[in-house]
Structure formats: structure tokens, C-alpha cells
């Protein structure tokens, strides 16, 4: 599980990347020996940035890899491209935030010591929100080039974030652990870039691991949740957030699911998890997809704007994980 140090899962390992073309999954050996943590496609689908430990940054077009130097030595956990594809933000442990202009990296002065996990740009590209441990929410203002904390409700490890397509607000998912000292913690937050507000409390120990807005359904977001029970049991479920309410659905899966993302055409949801489990969900119908691996899978990361579908999946740590 996640640790507070700057070197979680930092032992060298085979850095496999899996490519799913909608039919088959194939493994590709990526360069380097450090764990990979996250991938972000440029909006035009030309290539993805894959980030990992000790400043690892790879550029990948789905077939070939290029190692990018000079990204420092931070353990990088997340990345996101601006809508115009001109800038990418890379975030990581101990408040690390890097700006990448396609050629070089510039590190911003840290404003927190918390580990940062995910970054999401507003649809108009004017700002990006960054979330991480300790309820940390940061706003990067593109014009001013400033990085500032966002006030509001907070208490938990914030796992995931996605902006509503019309830019009204971002939806943030959290690990709603009662062990953090909160009797009824929030699992979901809304943030308009100025304030983070808790909107969904839970009586269960729920972990919101992924959020994605369904293409063509601007007001509907799907949230993947792992709910931890007594004795170490885990129940997988999804939530449909509609802006005014939430619908729950149990997810029958043979292992803890770690990620979910909608196909770019909105036709189905692809979910990945521990032990190489890969699922395709269309409405209430969930079918397994043969992955050919027992690796823990992180992602999926769909290439946007491509005539042929393609999703990247990353090999997660070998030990049991709920998120990376």
C-alpha cells in the first residue's frame, strides 16, 4: 500500500507496458528499470508521457519509447496535458510539480510537502487542479504561472480527479477512511477551482480509485470504488454521479479493481485490476478480457482522437495495492 516516504515501490523492476487494441493485449518492454506510475496522452493522440519513480519520463506512441532526460529524481505519480497540447504538468512526492513544454522540464517551487497524485486541466486550459495526500488541492494558473492551495473541505487522501466536460467543476475522489479520525468521511468532492466542497459522505470505508466522465453524457461521471470490509475483504462497485444524485452498482470482479476509463466513443467502460484482471462493462453487462498476464494493471489510458482504439496499461507493483 502507499507509504508516506519518497521512495515507495522504488526497487528496480521490469517496466512492462501493455497495449490493448480493443481485441488483444500485448506486452511491450519499456526502457529503464524503475516502476512506472501513470500515463497521459497528448490531446491529439500523437504520444503519451509515462511517468514513474526517480524522475522516469518516457514518451510513447503505442509502439516506440523515448526516454526523456532532465526530469529530476522525484518519484512521479501523475501527469496531465493542457487541452491544446502545449504543456504538461507532472506531479509527484513531497509536493513536486514539473511543467513540460514538449522539450524541457521546469520545476515549480513546492507549496506543500504532501505527496501529489493526480492532475487535471480545466477544459478551457486556463488552469489545472492537482490533488494528493492530506486533502491537498492545488491550482496551477497558466497565465500567472502560479501554484496555490485551494481552500475548502479536506481530510483524506485524494486519489483521482476529472473535470466535467463543460468546465463547471471538477469531481474529486478520496479514500474515505474512518481511521483518519472522521466518523463519516467524504468520498467525493466538487471543486470549481476556487473551493473544494465535500458532497458525498459514506458509512463504509470506501476508496474512490478512478473517475471518468462518459463521452456524450456531460453530466454523468463514473466512479470506481473499492470498499474495504472487516477481515480484509474488498467489494468493488461503481457510482454514477449525475450532478444531483448518485446511483450505486455492485461490480462482480475476481480481484480488487484499480482503474477504469471510458472508451473515447462512450460505448463501454474498461476496468483493470490486480492479478491481470481486465473487464469490459456495457451497462449492466460485464465481460472479462484476456490480458495474458498476472501483473497488477494500472490504467487504462485510452489514446484520444485515433481512428483505431488503443489503450495503455501499466504494470503495477507486485505487492497488493489499491492505488499507485
Amino acid at each position: 500500500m502507499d507509504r508516506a516516504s519518497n521512495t515507495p515501490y522504488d526497487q528496480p523492476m521490469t517496466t512492462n507496458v501493455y497495449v490493448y487494441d480493443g481485441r488483444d493485449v500485448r506486452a511491450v518492454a519499456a526502457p529503464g528499470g524503475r516502476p512506472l506510475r501513470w500515463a497521459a496522452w497528448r490531446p491529439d493522440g500523437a504520444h503519451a508521457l509515462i511517468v514513474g519513480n526517480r524522475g522516469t519520463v518516457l514518451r510513447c506512441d503505442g509502439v516506440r519509447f523515448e526516454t526523456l532526460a532532465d526530469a529530476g529524481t522525484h518519484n512521479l505519480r501523475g501527469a496531465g496535458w493542457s487541452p491544446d497540447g502545449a504543456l504538461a504538468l507532472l506531479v509527484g512526492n513531497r509536493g513536486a510539480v514539473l511543467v513540460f513544454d514538449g522539450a524541457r522540464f521546469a520545476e515549480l517551487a513546492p507549496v506543500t510537502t504532501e505527496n501529489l497524485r493526480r492532475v487535471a486541466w480545466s477544459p478551457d486550459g486556463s488552469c489545472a487542479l492537482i490533488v494528493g495526500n492530506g486533502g491537498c488541492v492545488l491550482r496551477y494558473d497558466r497565465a500567472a504561472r502560479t501554484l496555490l492551495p485551494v481552500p475548502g473541505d479536506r481530510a483524506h487522501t485524494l486519489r483521482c480527479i476529472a473535470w466535467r466536460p463543460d468546465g463547471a467543476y471538477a469531481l474529486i475522489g478520496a479514500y474515505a477512511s474512518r481511521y483518519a479520525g472522521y466518523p463519516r468521511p467524504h468520498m467525493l468532492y466538487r471543486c470549481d477551482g476556487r473551493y473544494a466542497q465535500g458532497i458525498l459522505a459514506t458509512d463504509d470505508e470506501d476508496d474512490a480509485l478512478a473517475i471518468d466522465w462518459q463521452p456524450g453524457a456531460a453530466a454523468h461521471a463514473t466512479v470506481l470504488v473499492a470498499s474495504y470490509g472487516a477481515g480484509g475483504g474488498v467489494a468493488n462497485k461503481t457510482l454514477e454521479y449525475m450532478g444531483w444524485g448518485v446511483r450505486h452498482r455492485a461490480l462482480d470482479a475476481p480481484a480488487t479493481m484499480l482503474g477504469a476509463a471510458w472508451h473515447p466513443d462512450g460505448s463501454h467502460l474498461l476496468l483493470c485490476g490486480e492479478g491481470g484482471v481486465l473487464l469490459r462493462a456495457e451497462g449492466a453487462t460485464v465481460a472479462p478480457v484476456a490480458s495474458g498476464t498476472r501483473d497488477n494493471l494500472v490504467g487504462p489510458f485510452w489514446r484520444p482522437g485515433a481512428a483505431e482504439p488503443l489503450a495503455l496499461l501499466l504494470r503495477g507493483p507486485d505487492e497488493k495495492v489499491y492505488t499507485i
Side-chain angles (χ1 to χ4, degrees):
M1 294 180 68
D2 179 51
R3 304 180 179 90
S5 75
N6 198 41
T7 56
Y9 315 127
D10 201 37
Q11 295 303 311
M13 59 186 284
T14 302
T15 53
N16 281 350
V17 175
Y18 295 91
V19 180
Y20 173 61
D21 63 5
R23 298 176 300 276
D24 301 306
V25 178
R26 59 184 174 86
V28 181
R34 296 292 177 181
L36 303 176
R37 315 282 296 261
W38 201 251
W41 285 94
R42 210 170 80 167
D44 62 3
H47 59 260
L49 290 182
I50 305 176
V51 301
N53 285 8
R54 294 294 184 181
T56 299
V57 182
L58 306 177
R59 186 154 45 197
C60 172
D61 63 4
V63 178
R64 295 171 293 275
F65 293 90
E66 176 188 2
T67 301
L68 303 183
D70 303 322
T73 59
H74 296 289
N75 286 346
L76 300 173
R77 290 173 172 264
W81 283 95
S82 61
D84 62 3
L87 291 178
L89 289 182
L90 285 61
V91 302
N93 284 4
R94 298 186 179 176
V97 179
L98 283 70
V99 181
F100 179 62
D101 65 4
R104 56 187 60 85
F105 300 92
E107 184 172 351
L108 301 180
V111 297
T112 180
T113 58
E114 295 287 357
N115 292 348
L116 303 176
R117 293 174 176 271
R118 303 288 178 260
V119 54
W121 285 83
S122 62
D124 66 4
S126 63
C127 70
L129 292 177
I130 299 165
V131 298
N133 290 4
C136 182
V137 182
L138 307 178
R139 174 190 168 108
Y140 174 73
D141 186 286
R142 185 173 182 176
R145 300 182 183 179
T146 56
L147 185 66
L148 295 171
V150 176
D153 300 332
R154 58 201 63 235
H156 320 294
T157 296
L158 302 180
R159 299 285 204 204
C160 49
I161 181 170
W163 279 87
R164 190 168 128 156
D166 64 3
Y169 57 83
L171 195 62
I172 301 170
Y175 176 30
S177 172
R178 294 186 302 278
Y179 298 104
Y182 300 89
R184 198 164 187 265
H186 286 95
M187 181 180 64
L188 288 182
Y189 295 78
R190 281 170 55 150
C191 182
D192 60 2
R194 297 180 293 274
Y195 190 87
Q197 178 184 15
I199 57 172
L200 179 63
T202 176
D203 291 320
D204 300 320
E205 191 177 358
D206 288 336
D207 200 354
L209 296 174
I211 296 174
D212 198 19
W213 295 85
Q214 184 177 7
H220 292 244
T222 298
V223 184
L224 171 67
V225 178
S227 187
Y228 311 138
V234 181
N236 297 290
K237 59 186 177 183
T238 59
L239 308 181
E240 185 181 10
Y241 178 73
M242 299 161 284
W244 49 266
V246 175
R247 286 197 292 243
H248 297 71
R249 174 175 288 167
L251 179 65
D252 186 15
T256 303
M257 303 311 292
L258 302 174
W262 284 96
H263 186 283
D265 68 7
S267 63
H268 63 274
L269 190 70
L270 189 66
L271 304 105
C272 62
E274 293 181 336
V277 174
L278 195 60
L279 303 175
R280 175 185 172 121
E282 297 182 62
T285 302
V286 179
V289 177
S291 69
T293 180
R294 294 289 299 168
D295 287 341
N296 294 334
L297 297 177
V298 176
F301 307 98
W302 286 103
R303 180 171 62 185
E308 296 294 328
L310 186 149
L312 298 178
L313 298 143
L314 306 182
R315 176 190 175 185
D318 291 336
E319 61 185 282
K320 187 177 180 67
V321 295
Y322 302 113
T323 182
I324 63 164

